[in-house]
Amino acid sequence: QVYFAQAISSEAAGAHPSFAAMQRSPMAVILASTLLALVHSVAARSEVTPVQKVLQLMEGMLAKGKQEKHDEQVQFAGFKQFCDDT
């Protein structure tokens, strides 16, 4: 019964003990903010610029166009052969 009363009084008194300890430590808050800023800056550097993205899209379109042209040439060659044979 005593333990239950202590648990209720500690819950009523405030937040979780580890959260309360973190609130008392401004160094932990500063460390967490610094780590968050560092992660954000690393992520920002790895992003592709808009110009690079456009170039990637254009290169993809070029490769797709070349593949489609090749496929059409193969298909046309088959049709031409059929027409020549008949």
Side-chain angles (χ1 to χ4, degrees):
Q1 291 176 345
V2 174
Y3 177 74
F4 183 70
Q6 288 174 347
I8 292 176
S9 65
S10 67
E11 286 180 9
H16 192 267
S18 63
F19 181 71
M22 191 171 151
Q23 285 179 332
R24 288 187 295 244
S25 173
M27 188 65 175
V29 174
I30 292 171
L31 179 63
S33 333
T34 304
L35 288 174
L36 182 63
L38 179 64
V39 167
H40 179 69
S41 68
V42 168
R45 285 188 205 142
S46 65
E47 291 179 7
V48 178
T49 65
V51 173
Q52 290 171 331
K53 184 65 177 175
V54 168
L55 291 175
Q56 288 175 354
L57 291 171
M58 291 178 72
E59 288 171 355
M61 289 172 57
L62 179 64
K64 183 179 175 184
K66 286 182 178 180
Q67 181 62 43
E68 288 179 358
K69 179 182 176 185
H70 174 72
D71 294 343
E72 286 181 22
Q73 287 174 334
V74 170
Q75 188 178 21
F76 179 78
F79 290 148
K80 185 176 184 311
Q81 183 66 38
F82 174 77
C83 290
D84 289 342
D85 291 342
T86 55

